Amino acid sequence: MVKINGEIFDIAGKTLADYLASINYDFKRIAVERNGYIVPKAQYGETVLIDGDIVEIVNFVGGG
Amino acid sequence: MWEVAELIPTKDEMIKALEERQGKKLQEKFSAATVAVCGLGGLGSNISISLARAGIGKLILIDFDRVDITNLHRQQYKASQIGRYKADALSENLKEIAPYTELEAHNVKITENNAVRLLKEADIICEAFDVAEGKAMLTNTVLESIPDKFLVAASGMAGMGSANNIKTRKVMNRFYLCGDEISEVAESESLVSSRVMLCAAHQAHMVLRILAEKLDT
């Protein structure tokens, strides 16, 4: 099980890029943290989610 | 009358007054700090004023843009400053408020390529852009390339939603996010000064809390 933004998902084994694509996040507007560390954008495709991972995705919106 | 106003207090007098209001220990931490403010619009101009008033030692002010008439309702500029570079106009305003705060103004656009060079001296970085892609770019660049810095970013402060939905959240070690994380300017088509200032105050206050070594939100 993988916890993403507080919700539990049965997606261990998938890559982070797979997950992000499945929920239509715009890659240019997000920052992703996994187990306390930022995931560099270049590594989304090779980052395989494993059981127990805690992921936080910040999806920025405009305005300031 | 006006000549009197030009006789500004000495640095020692200003520091003594800050110590009286904020406490000597805290003031010493604020005076020793360098904070970078990236983007000097509704968020950044208000953050800068809060931090200058608090007696932060040095502010690095960065924005490529110039003051526009549509900025005046929420950004800390004057009608007489329309057309000026924001970094220069804000420096001028801050000098009147806090004459002994050291200022470093950059009239440039922050990119992945120059961010590290511009921000290397800062202890804490405030992300205060308006465009979502820029916010994400700066957040990713800082957390990937200069992870020893603290980052205080903002997302979601547009519209007429409740003031109480603006919050500060610790996303991870050294990365804080202020705002409601939902209200987008493109959807609500409005930015009102009070709600933007609330978010800016959250950011400025988190900066001061970090300096006070209160690392929770």
Side-chain angles (χ1 to χ4, degrees):
Chain A
M1 294 295 162
V2 178
K3 197 177 201 179
I4 300 178
N5 289 0
E7 270 188 75
I8 305 282
F9 294 90
D10 186 12
I11 52 166
K14 274 193 172 187
T15 68
L16 181 59
D18 286 340
Y19 173 73
L20 294 171
S22 75
I23 46 162
N24 278 330
Y25 270 133
D26 180 346
F27 278 32
K28 285 191 179 141
R29 291 178 158 223
I30 60 172
V32 182
E33 172 246 342
R34 176 177 173 241
N35 303 329
Y37 296 93
I38 194 80
V39 183
K41 275 212 151 107
Q43 290 173 21
Y44 288 178
E46 64 202 60
T47 299
V48 179
L49 298 168
I50 58 170
D51 222 22
D53 271 355
I54 297 176
V55 177
E56 194 69 42
I57 302 166
V58 174
N59 187 26
F60 284 97
V61 297
Chain B
M1 282 297 280
W2 292 108
E3 291 90 65
V4 177
E6 286 174 17
L7 292 173
I8 60 165
T10 65
K11 188 173 183 180
D12 285 348
E13 286 170 330
M14 292 286 278
I15 288 173
K16 195 162 170 287
L18 285 165
E19 286 176 355
E20 200 179 302
R21 280 289 170 272
Q22 298 179 155
K24 190 170 165 41
K25 245 177 106 179
L26 209 48
Q27 194 50 51
E28 281 168 358
K29 287 176 178 162
F30 292 175
S31 294
T34 297
V35 180
V37 184
C38 303
L40 304 174
L43 294 170
S45 63
N46 282 297
I47 292 167
S48 301
I49 284 186
S50 288
L51 296 179
R53 285 196 192 278
I56 294 295
K58 180 174 175 179
L59 293 175
I60 301 171
L61 309 169
I62 313 166
D63 199 312
F64 67 92
D65 209 0
R66 294 170 186 266
V67 180
D68 182 80
I69 190 169
T70 59
N71 300 151
L72 296 180
H73 80 293
R74 72 183 192 287
Q75 305 185 16
Q76 296 294 340
Y77 301 101
K78 304 171 196 173
S80 62
Q81 292 177 317
I82 289 170
R84 304 266 315 275
Y85 277 115
K86 289 184 178 180
D88 294 340
L90 187 61
S91 296
E92 201 173 275
N93 298 344
L94 293 173
K95 278 281 169 213
E96 290 182 36
I97 294 167
Y100 304 108
T101 296
E102 193 186 335
L103 302 174
E104 185 184 306
H106 296 276
N107 302 314
V108 297
K109 192 176 176 84
I110 303 176
T111 66
E112 282 158 310
N113 300 322
N114 66 13
V116 174
R117 178 176 57 78
L118 288 165
L119 302 173
K120 64 177 187 289
E121 261 190 66
D123 304 304
I124 304 175
I125 296 160
C126 292
E127 177 283 307
F129 292 156
D130 52 358
V131 177
E133 286 80 359
K135 290 171 173 292
M137 179 280 293
L138 185 65
T139 298
N140 281 296
T141 303
V142 169
L143 296 177
E144 282 177 34
S145 305
I146 35 176
D148 58 318
K149 310 289 185 193
F150 283 91
L151 175 68
V152 183
S155 180
M157 78 299 299
M160 289 300 291
S162 169
N164 295 333
N165 294 340
I166 304 283
K167 290 187 165 52
T168 301
R169 178 163 78 92
K170 186 174 185 174
V171 180
M172 59 184 261
N173 202 20
R174 294 176 173 260
F175 173 33
Y176 299 84
L177 185 64
C178 305
D180 67 14
E181 299 188 44
I182 296 167
S183 304
E184 180 152 26
V185 68
E187 284 170 15
S188 66
E189 288 178 356
S190 68
L191 276 172
V192 295
S193 64
S194 44
R195 206 156 189 267
V196 176
M197 286 170 83
L198 276 162
C199 191
H202 267 262
Q203 288 184 274
H205 193 60
M206 196 61 234
V207 168
L208 298 182
R209 280 180 61 79
I210 291 166
L211 294 172
E213 291 166 55
K214 295 179 189 301
L215 299 181
D216 58 331
T217 58

